Amino acid sequence: MIMQRNLLKLRGHARSFYNPPNKTAREVQDLPLSQWLMQSNQWSMLPFRPLAVPLQGTGSEEVHPISTTSAFLKNSLNVEDESRYANHFLRGDTLYGQNKIEYGLQAFSREHRSLVNIVRLGTGLSGHDRIGHGGFAAALLDSCFGTLFMLAAEGRYLGVTASLTVDYRAGMPVPADVCALAWIERVEGRKFYLKGELRSLPSGAEFQEPEQCDDGKIHLGSGSVLYTEARALFLSIESKHIEQLRK
């Protein structure tokens, strides 16, 4: 497996980025849920730091196109756009690295407007010793909501989080492989209502093929422990408003 490694010039210095070990990537890709998603024709696989490929006619590099005609789908899970996420809170140096988020992959279903994010977590994400920090769980789910929103938007608009409500149901042990699930519940004009869960990954005899409800929710079976659930409101906005926020 070959990971794309980029160097970014920052104040005259070359900056290198975390490159997940081949062994770690293979282990996560070989998990039963990962294999099920890869073999399903209803899910499109994405790397954790996906390449930004402009949609035809938009000229925007702020979207992650996902369509049968997009070159994006020709990219392997093993090719990541590292430098683009250099300053990203979740996918940059802050939380992506050894003993943090050590590797991740994603899958998107356009039909069900759902996202699955499988990540390997290290002990550096602890709150209490070897229990995942609640703030990290909230950040991971919020990031999943944002990715799902952008994929569903297909470059027609951008979005921001207007509200996020998180409920903690059980302590999340680390290190561990966990699954973040997100789906769009409904859309009302500019308002997008999303729901999500952070769960354990059943393996071996406990693994059951996931069930997808009509509302987009994904069920991983009785062997999966619910750690955290969340709901969010996203607002669609024009790109010029994002530029105003940067000022």
Side-chain angles (χ1 to χ4, degrees):
M1 184 188 74
I2 300 176
M3 283 282 186
Q4 179 181 357
R5 176 175 288 277
N6 293 324
L7 294 178
L8 181 67
K9 292 289 187 178
L10 292 175
R11 296 178 182 177
H13 300 283
R15 175 176 174 180
S16 62
F17 299 95
Y18 171 70
N19 194 355
N22 292 349
K23 181 176 181 293
T24 300
R26 284 195 302 268
E27 288 174 352
V28 175
Q29 292 176 13
D30 286 343
L31 291 169
L33 180 58
S34 300
Q35 287 295 307
W36 183 84
L37 291 166
M38 292 178 190
Q39 295 167 14
S40 172
N41 58 12
Q42 295 185 358
W43 294 87
S44 300
M45 305 304 298
L46 300 85
F48 191 63
R49 296 174 291 192
L51 296 171
V53 182
L55 286 175
Q56 292 183 354
T58 67
S60 171
E61 293 185 355
E62 295 298 323
V63 298
H64 304 306
I66 189 90
S67 70
T68 55
T69 59
S70 172
F72 180 84
L73 291 182
K74 297 179 182 178
N75 295 322
S76 165
L77 281 176
N78 303 328
V79 179
E80 296 189 333
D81 190 353
E82 298 168 333
S83 59
R84 184 174 183 274
Y85 293 89
N87 298 316
H88 193 278
F89 176 59
L90 200 83
R91 293 172 169 82
D93 293 343
T94 303
L95 291 176
Y96 197 38
Q98 187 174 3
N99 294 324
K100 298 180 283 189
I101 301 175
E102 297 186 339
Y103 180 70
L105 58 82
Q106 306 175 96
F108 170 67
S109 170
R110 176 189 281 109
E111 177 183 356
H112 297 289
R113 299 191 300 183
S114 302
L115 183 80
V116 177
N117 198 326
I118 300 173
V119 290
R120 172 160 292 183
L121 307 180
T123 55
L125 298 172
S126 300
H128 294 290
D129 186 38
R130 296 185 178 275
I131 300 295
H133 195 288
F136 167 75
L140 178 58
L141 285 167
D142 186 41
S143 179
C144 289
F145 288 147
T147 300
L148 174 58
F149 177 93
M150 292 182 70
L151 290 170
E154 294 185 319
R156 292 169 295 186
Y157 37 73
L158 300 177
V160 293
T161 308
S163 68
L164 177 68
T165 303
V166 180
D167 295 308
Y168 300 98
R169 302 305 184 191
M172 180 178 67
V174 290
D177 297 324
V178 302
C179 178
L181 310 170
W183 61 95
I184 298 175
E185 183 183 34
R186 68 185 190 277
V187 180
E188 298 176 357
R190 293 179 53 226
K191 298 180 179 180
F192 286 68
Y193 295 87
L194 304 97
K195 288 187 174 181
E197 297 177 343
L198 192 57
R199 288 184 163 273
S200 68
L201 279 170
S203 60
E206 291 186 338
F207 176 75
Q208 303 173 15
E209 286 196 2
E211 297 181 4
Q212 187 113 35
C213 297
D214 292 337
D215 64 359
K217 183 175 182 178
I218 306 151
H219 291 277
L220 297 185
S222 58
S224 174
V225 177
L226 174 62
Y227 298 132
T228 309
E229 56 186 345
R231 57 189 183 276
L233 168 63
F234 268 61
L235 297 177
S236 62
I237 60 175
E238 298 178 8
S239 58
K240 65 181 180 181
H241 294 139
I242 294 291
E243 291 303 322
Q244 291 173 356
L245 292 174
R246 294 189 175 114
K247 294 180 180 179

